[in-house]
Amino acid sequence: NDILEVSLTEVVQESVLAVIVLVHLLLARKYAHLRYSNILIGGFFLAMLIRELDGLFDILSHGSWVWFALLATAGSLLLPLRQTLSQLAEYTRTPYYGMMISGLLAILVFSRLFGMHGLWYAVLEENYARVVKNTVEEGSESFGYMLCLTATLGYACYFRGLARQALSSQR
């Protein structure tokens, strides 16, 4: 009835986050004109991945994931902020920005709202079943992760296409 730290749902979510981080870091390496925004986005999703892996970090010390997430955040913020902001502005003009924001809303807002014990207890009263809350919460979180992954892969293809266009116009 409970979705544990080691479940198919959690492993898929963590794998999706790892792919998102990897793609953005590869994009940062390949496209210098958007390097800082991709590092920032990759760092953001790395912090989310570290949070999802909190059970693993609890082996070291309970709550130690916070320090690793802060380290990932600091590492992605140490680059020149002005360049990062202009590159992020360019990212918002891509066709995949809306999908990324929608995925983040599903992960950071809706899944948290649907995961509130008090909400479910107020609606269902004595018929409250934790399995229903967990299913809805993890389902909306997984949906958000899939939207973010789709946006990341679409974004990578979009810039690959732009690079090919630029290369062919130089010929």
Side-chain angles (χ1 to χ4, degrees), residues 2 40 48 69 77 100 102 128 153 155 158:
D2 290 327
L40 185 65
M48 290 177 72
L77 289 174
M100 180 67 78
S102 298
Y128 170 74
L153 296 176
Y155 174 72
Y158 176 77

Side-chain angles (χ1 to χ4, degrees), residues 125-141:
E125 295 174 352
E126 67 275 350
N127 295 323
Y128 170 74
R130 185 173 177 86
V131 67
V132 174
K133 178 203 80 79
N134 287 349
T135 301
V136 172
E137 179 183 9
E138 293 298 328
S140 61
E141 194 174 11

Side-chain angles (χ1 to χ4, degrees), residues 164 166-171:
R164 282 186 180 165
L167 187 62
S168 67
S169 68
Q170 290 176 357
R171 290 180 185 172

Side-chain angles (χ1 to χ4, degrees), residues 1 6 8 21 34 36 47 52 55 64 66 73 83 94 101-102 107 120 125-126 131 144 160 163-164 167 170:
N1 287 337
V6 182
L8 180 61
V21 170
L34 291 171
Y36 299 122
E52 283 293 331
S64 65
V66 171
T73 302
Q83 288 181 358
T94 67
I101 293 299
S102 298
I107 297 164
W120 288 95
E125 295 174 352
E126 67 275 350
V131 67
R160 185 173 166 205
R164 282 186 180 165
L167 187 62
Q170 290 176 357

Side-chain angles (χ1 to χ4, degrees), residues 18 29 31 37 63 67 72 75 83 89 100 111 140 152 166:
R29 185 173 173 204
Y31 301 108
S37 67
W67 301 109
Q83 288 181 358
M100 180 67 78
S111 72
S140 61
T152 296

Side-chain angles (χ1 to χ4, degrees), residues 114-130:
F114 293 143
M116 292 175 58
H117 170 78
L119 172 74
W120 288 95
Y121 192 76
V123 171
L124 299 174
E125 295 174 352
E126 67 275 350
N127 295 323
Y128 170 74
R130 185 173 177 86

Side-chain angles (χ1 to χ4, degrees), residues 45-143:
F45 282 102
L46 179 58
M48 290 177 72
L49 174 59
I50 291 168
R51 173 60 183 102
E52 283 293 331
L53 292 170
D54 67 327
L56 182 66
F57 288 103
D58 282 347
I59 293 171
L60 297 173
S61 173
H62 182 70
S64 65
W65 69 268
V66 171
W67 301 109
F68 290 95
L70 286 173
L71 184 64
T73 302
S76 63
L77 289 174
L78 289 177
L79 301 166
L81 189 58
R82 193 156 90 185
Q83 288 181 358
T84 303
L85 291 176
S86 67
Q87 290 176 9
L88 280 174
E90 187 175 337
Y91 176 72
T92 64
R93 292 187 288 273
T94 67
Y96 299 95
Y97 175 71
M99 185 179 293
M100 180 67 78
I101 293 299
S102 298
L104 289 172
L105 281 172
I107 297 164
L108 300 173
V109 177
F110 296 120
S111 72
R112 301 301 175 246
L113 287 174
F114 293 143
M116 292 175 58
H117 170 78
L119 172 74
W120 288 95
Y121 192 76
V123 171
L124 299 174
E125 295 174 352
E126 67 275 350
N127 295 323
Y128 170 74
R130 185 173 177 86
V131 67
V132 174
K133 178 203 80 79
N134 287 349
T135 301
V136 172
E137 179 183 9
E138 293 298 328
S140 61
E141 194 174 11
S142 294
F143 172 71

